[in-house]
Amino acid sequence: MKLLALAALSIAAAFCQSADCDSLQKCQEALQANRSSSLAHFRMAEIYFMRGVYQSAANEFRASLNGDHNPGWVEALALVNLGKIFDITGQRERARNQYQLALKTDDNTKGALDEANKYLEAPFKPN
């Protein structure tokens, strides 16, 4: 019985940990299971960012930075994306600071450091 319970918990933890939510509702459900899920906050931020709701995106990227740091790459990408938001909203110095913080993570997962270096040179401009 204990083995079955452990298996169920492992599956649930893997689901919540992946938090690959593709909608705000799914992300909110993942956050109900784990309020400190950096990944769920990060995914919510991405959705807001794509919709152009930059203040909400920035809030969720910050929440991802204050979360459980799982997975580790979330930190670098959240900082890069905060930099993009600052560039979009005309706050270039704040953007540059975020890109520099991203570089300090030394985590180039998904090209985060490449992007940080690129946008240190020239501001991010949405398509």
Side-chain angles (χ1 to χ4, degrees):
M1 189 65 161
K2 286 183 181 180
L3 187 58
L4 183 59
L6 282 174
L9 281 174
S10 295
I11 292 168
F15 173 76
C16 293
Q17 187 175 16
S18 71
D20 275 338
C21 40
D22 56 2
S23 70
L24 290 176
Q25 181 181 349
K26 287 182 184 177
C27 291
Q28 289 166 342
E29 290 169 4
L31 286 171
Q32 285 177 346
N34 178 6
R35 295 296 302 160
S36 65
S37 171
S38 288
L39 187 56
H41 283 292
F42 182 84
R43 295 292 187 223
M44 283 183 72
E46 287 183 315
I47 292 167
Y48 285 128
F49 185 86
M50 288 186 302
R51 292 181 180 179
V53 185
Y54 299 124
Q55 185 60 57
S56 294
N59 292 342
E60 289 300 326
F61 283 128
R62 285 187 194 101
S64 74
L65 293 170
N66 293 324
D68 60 13
H69 299 275
N70 189 16
W73 55 259
V74 167
E75 180 181 7
L77 284 171
L79 291 165
V80 168
N81 284 308
L82 279 168
K84 289 178 181 179
I85 291 169
F86 290 135
D87 270 338
I88 289 169
T89 58
Q91 301 174 72
R92 182 66 181 146
E93 285 309 307
R94 290 182 79 185
R96 289 179 53 79
N97 184 51
Q98 296 303 304
Y99 300 137
Q100 289 168 342
L101 288 172
L103 290 173
K104 289 180 183 178
T105 68
D106 202 32
D107 187 338
N108 198 31
T109 304
K110 300 186 180 193
L113 302 183
D114 299 333
E115 281 194 61
N117 279 314
K118 176 181 175 181
Y119 299 129
L120 272 172
E121 296 296 318
F124 171 79
K125 294 184 182 175
N127 295 339

